């Protein structure tokens, strides 16, 4: 799966530098990861969204860490935005650590089939999960 390759390719130290807060957008790590993920999105025309999410330990909410949508887009998810309707398959990756294909499911942005892959540190801890969404209507 493409998303597994992306999850493995991202530098865990860069991901570790992000806090999942709006101020991350000014950090060099955020900017480097954004460039990488934008290249992935632009080179895979069937993929609508590419993003990185994390799980806040305090409340176990899934939050956006990085979104390749430009901040001017109505579909942009800023760092720290809680992903209230995160599919259960995505949430499960924070426990299982396994790359998965999830969907179809609906959220505020549309109807999707998504690939999710963990980004791990050198000890195997999950630092975040990369998501890549394909419009589920286009798969019919």
């Amino acid at each position: 799966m493409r998303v597994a390759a992306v999850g493995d390719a991202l530098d865990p130290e860069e991901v570790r530098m992000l806090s999942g807060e709006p101020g991350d957008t000014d950090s060099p790590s955020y900017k480097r990861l954004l460039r990488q993920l934008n290249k992935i999105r632009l080179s895979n025309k069937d993929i609508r969204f590419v993003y990185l999410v994390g799980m806040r330990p305090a409340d176990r909410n899934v939050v956006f860490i990085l979104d390749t949508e430009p901040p001017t887009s109505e579909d942009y998810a800023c760092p720290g935005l809680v992903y209230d309707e995160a599919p259960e398959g995505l949430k499960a990756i924070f426990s299982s650590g396994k790359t998965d294909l999830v969907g179809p499911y609906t959220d505020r942005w549309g109807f999707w089939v998504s690939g999710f892959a963990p980004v791990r540190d050198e000890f195997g801890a999950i630092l975040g999960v990369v998501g890549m969404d394909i419009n589920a209507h286009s798969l019919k």
Side-chain angles (χ1 to χ4, degrees):
M1 286 174 62
R2 292 179 280 181
V3 72
V6 174
D8 288 341
L10 292 182
D11 183 346
E13 291 307 312
E14 296 279 16
V15 175
R16 187 189 318 277
M17 298 299 295
L18 302 179
S19 63
E21 297 295 329
D24 281 347
T25 59
D26 296 325
S27 80
S29 291
Y30 184 95
K31 291 174 183 177
R32 279 189 289 273
L33 288 166
L34 180 60
R35 279 192 301 273
Q36 287 179 304
L37 293 180
N38 266 324
K39 286 179 183 179
I40 299 298
R41 189 174 97 173
L42 293 172
S43 64
N44 290 274
K45 299 298 182 192
D46 59 329
I47 296 173
R48 173 61 183 97
F49 294 118
V50 178
Y51 48 91
L52 182 64
V53 294
M55 184 173 277
R56 281 195 312 226
D59 56 15
R60 307 280 298 158
N61 280 326
V62 174
V63 297
F64 285 91
I65 296 174
L66 186 151
D67 183 13
T68 58
E69 279 294 293
T72 56
S73 169
E74 65 182 27
D75 294 324
Y76 176 66
C78 69
L81 177 70
V82 175
Y83 188 10
D84 289 319
E85 61 270 73
E88 290 303 316
L90 167 56
K91 294 176 188 176
I93 293 170
F94 288 96
S95 300
S96 74
K98 295 182 179 173
T99 298
D100 202 3
L101 186 64
V102 175
Y105 67 93
T106 301
D107 65 14
R108 70 186 93 170
W109 293 281
F111 184 54
W112 310 106
V113 171
S114 302
F116 296 111
V119 178
R120 298 175 179 275
D121 70 10
E122 66 274 18
F123 304 107
I126 298 170
L127 302 173
V129 173
V130 175
M132 297 169 62
D133 301 345
I134 295 174
N135 184 324
H137 293 295
S138 69
L139 300 174
K140 293 181 180 184

